Amino acid sequence: MTALTLSTSSAATARADAVVVGVAKGAKGPVPATGAEAVDEAFGGKLAAVLETLGATGAEGEVTKLPAADGLKAPVVLAVGLGAAPAKGETYDNETLRRAAGSAARALNGTKKAAFALPLEDAEAAAAVSEGALFGAYAFTAFRSDAAPAKGKKGAKGGNGSSDPLAEVTLVGGKPRDKEFKAATERAQVLAAELHRARDLVNTPSNALNPKTFAAEAQAAAKEFGLKVEVLDEKALKKGGFGGLLGVGQGSDAPPRLVRIAHTHPKAEKTLALVGKGITYDSGGISLKPAGHNETMKCDMAGAAAVFATVVAAARLGLAVNVTGWLALAENMPSGNATRPGDVLTMYSGKTVEVLNTDAEGRLVLADALTRASEEEPDAIVDVATLTGAMMLALGNRTFGIMANDDAFRTTVHEISEEVGEQSWPMPMPAELRKGMDSPVADIANMGERMGGGLVAGLFLKEFVGEGITWAHLDIAGPAFHESAPYGYTHKGGTGSSVRTLLRLAERTASGDLG
Ligand code: BES
Ligand code: MN
Ligand code: ZN
């Protein structure tokens, strides 16, 4: 994990392999941003001209590396584009800073230490730059034979570590004696560590992560950070009547698990339940996915990873709220023992479900977990799932959909996500779509109309939420796994989607801002 410090030294005196400055896109070319003054001075006031000659424009995400001028301790200057400068009297929005810091950190992975001299108007900006730098300084090397072994892990060959993430980040102008700045960066470090826990889990291939080993990860983290954890194995699930989890998991040699991992606080007045879809591999089951649709399906546990990471973050930050995570873990495989299309499952709630399509498995494992979570009568439940391709068709690859049984809560979750730099959009729950799931043999079918497939899935889940409990559903199928070119702090692979939103929701609940 990258170390982060706040420093009072100037961009000129900071000891680092590179000093990062911001550059805005001005009407007549690049304009060095606040924080770059000392560097500009070292360039004789000609930093803008030098950057322009090098082809820099100040466009968002643009990275320009140049050798440092005399008078700078760092041998390299990295100028990162911030886009259009804010209007007079306004500051850069936090997500712009977060992404710029992320682009810079990504470009510096493989080096040791960087000093960030980006505009830090207030503690929120410091938080955003810290987060961006830490999120950008990420590399998943667990399965690279030439990477340095991670601490505590057996690594095979040592290697040159060239793919190692940036090890140290210093925020120049970071006001180390300012309480709010200090708190912001401490929170950012916990958030980044936990976001990376989620990323690592999503990036881990399914031959190295199954329901049992995922549950073991939860047990290990619970031990390390003082959380309470309970794991229901296949025997306990049978005894408890968890027909959804068992029905989905029965085709796999790796049986399902339901994990309950809980952070509690003596002064907590509210309890938030988080439920995550944890399909460690989604082959589709007997309704097998064709080639072209199964290559990234190790990511189908991203909801459970986000929930797990958030609960641990809440514990590490000592939030005055109870946060209970429910990880619905199963592997969806075809076999002689797999659930067949047409089979009827009796769910934990007692409802029966006709499984028309074994690839609509997420809603089956979530249904059991939602019913179980409801038994504890939390103040609110949020479930997170890579649930439907339909949501990706609707919202694209970077935006998750939010459904809820409470309009005000849906709006709150949406606003929180925007505030923390995660793109989301509120989606409706049209009642008329329910009849498409009517089954001639069971209480409900696991499929309905194709049109509005993401909404149909949400309507299915709603049936398993306890009476009177406020509930929201986040369909992160789009943003959970990034396949195109890296940008900002987003690398290829697992993104940690929804961790920031869930953590902020927990913090808001702790501070009594919510209902
Ligand atoms: N895990 C998939 C959804 C998904 C697709 C996530 C692509 C990430 C990327 C889910 O289990 C699924 O297969 N959903 C089906 C539902 C359908 C059979 C009703 C889908 O969306 O096609
Ligand atoms: Mn599926
Ligand atoms: Zn799935």
Side-chain angles (χ1 to χ4, degrees):
M1 180 65 197
T2 308
L4 179 73
T5 50
L6 296 171
S7 164
T8 49
S9 61
S10 89
T13 57
R15 272 178 206 285
D17 301 311
V19 57
V20 175
V21 296
V23 50
K25 191 175 175 133
K28 291 188 226 100
V31 183
T34 313
E37 295 83 1
V39 172
D40 190 25
E41 225 168 89
F43 277 86
K46 294 199 167 66
L47 182 59
V50 171
L51 285 170
E52 185 159 25
T53 305
L54 289 170
T57 64
E60 276 183 40
E62 176 190 85
V63 164
T64 311
K65 286 183 187 170
L66 51 158
D70 275 353
L72 296 180
K73 274 255 161 67
V76 169
V77 173
L78 186 153
V80 62
L82 291 164
K88 260 217 152 33
E90 302 207 357
T91 55
Y92 284 99
D93 75 62
N94 293 324
E95 179 60 6
T96 301
L97 294 173
R98 197 180 281 113
R99 287 190 188 187
S103 295
R106 261 193 312 108
L108 291 169
N109 281 340
T111 63
K112 280 231 161 63
K113 179 166 180 175
F116 280 65
L118 290 171
L120 298 182
E121 309 287 349
D122 52 26
E124 274 190 35
V129 171
S130 303
E131 287 173 22
L134 296 173
F135 298 166
Y138 174 78
F140 184 69
T141 56
F143 293 83
R144 296 268 195 219
S145 59
D146 65 348
K151 229 176 100 194
K153 296 250 161 79
K154 266 193 288 186
K157 292 170 192 152
N160 65 8
S162 62
S163 50
D164 279 357
L166 181 59
E168 272 183 72
V169 167
T170 299
L171 297 199
V172 167
K175 303 192 189 164
R177 278 174 286 277
D178 182 304
K179 251 197 193 152
E180 284 182 19
F181 273 69
K182 257 197 92 193
T185 48
E186 279 164 13
R187 177 187 183 277
Q189 281 175 283
V190 171
L191 171 57
E194 291 309 321
L195 192 114
H196 292 178
R197 179 196 301 283
R199 279 174 156 182
D200 284 349
L201 285 165
V202 172
N203 288 333
T204 302
S206 303
N207 62 345
L209 188 76
N210 63 35
K212 190 175 164 184
T213 58
F214 195 140
E217 292 285 333
Q219 283 165 321
K223 195 167 171 206
E224 183 176 356
F225 297 107
L227 294 116
K228 203 174 158 215
V229 65
E230 288 165 52
V231 178
L232 298 190
D233 64 10
E234 68 271 34
K235 257 171 113 184
L237 291 171
K238 250 175 226 137
K239 201 163 162 226
F242 290 85
L245 272 156
L246 290 164
V248 171
Q250 74 190 36
S252 169
D253 289 346
R257 296 285 184 270
L258 178 63
V259 175
R260 178 188 189 276
I261 182 165
H263 159 66
T264 56
H265 191 281
K267 293 212 177 91
E269 285 173 7
K270 300 267 183 210
T271 298
L272 188 59
L274 305 176
V275 175
K277 171 178 172 181
I279 300 298
T280 58
Y281 186 70
D282 183 10
S283 72
I286 296 296
S287 312
L288 194 63
K289 285 181 189 293
H293 292 261
N294 53 22
E295 293 81 353
T296 61
M297 279 304 130
K298 68 175 182 182
C299 84
D300 213 20
M301 35 52 73
V307 164
F308 173 26
T310 303
V311 177
V312 178
R316 291 176 66 173
L317 294 169
L319 301 187
V321 57
N322 299 326
V323 186
T324 311
W326 299 92
L327 317 181
L329 307 173
E331 187 182 45
N332 188 22
M333 296 290 272
S335 81
N337 196 41
T339 292
R340 313 152 193 80
D343 282 2
V344 174
L345 304 176
T346 302
M347 310 293 279
Y348 181 63
S349 75
K351 273 205 174 90
T352 56
V353 178
E354 183 185 12
V355 180
L356 290 178
N357 189 321
T358 63
D359 198 11
E361 83 297 339
R363 64 199 73 183
L364 299 172
V365 299
L366 286 171
D368 277 357
L370 284 167
T371 306
R372 178 66 190 88
S374 296
E375 286 177 352
E376 300 187 356
E377 298 181 353
D379 295 288
I381 301 179
V382 179
D383 79 69
V384 190
T386 46
L387 204 58
T388 66
M391 194 60 73
M392 304 169 77
L393 289 174
L395 297 178
N397 285 323
R398 295 189 185 182
T399 304
F400 61 79
I402 310 175
M403 275 166 260
N405 61 4
D406 177 313
D407 287 355
F409 190 54
R410 188 190 59 217
T411 302
T412 299
V413 175
H414 171 55
E415 286 173 355
I416 283 176
S417 85
E418 305 254 289
E419 199 179 293
V420 298
E422 292 201 288
Q423 290 168 224
S424 72
W425 203 250
M427 300 297 276
M429 305 200 72
E432 73 276 10
L433 290 177
R434 170 60 184 84
K435 66 177 184 310
M437 290 184 284
D438 284 349
S439 161
V441 295
D443 299 341
I444 189 170
N446 77 332
M447 275 224 347
E449 293 174 35
R450 194 168 76 87
M451 295 298 164
L455 316 182
V456 170
L459 283 166
F460 181 93
L461 296 179
K462 187 168 162 235
E463 308 246 336
F464 296 87
V465 177
E467 271 297 304
I469 300 177
T470 302
W471 159 78
H473 157 61
L474 315 185
D475 189 337
I476 61 168
F481 198 80
H482 185 64
E483 290 188 75
S484 53
Y487 68 97
Y489 48 78
T490 305
H491 301 249
K492 274 186 189 278
T495 60
S497 176
S498 84
V499 170
R500 285 180 280 158
T501 298
L502 295 176
L503 183 63
R504 183 58 62 85
L505 178 67
E507 289 170 328
R508 285 288 183 75
T509 309
S511 59
D513 283 6
L514 299 177

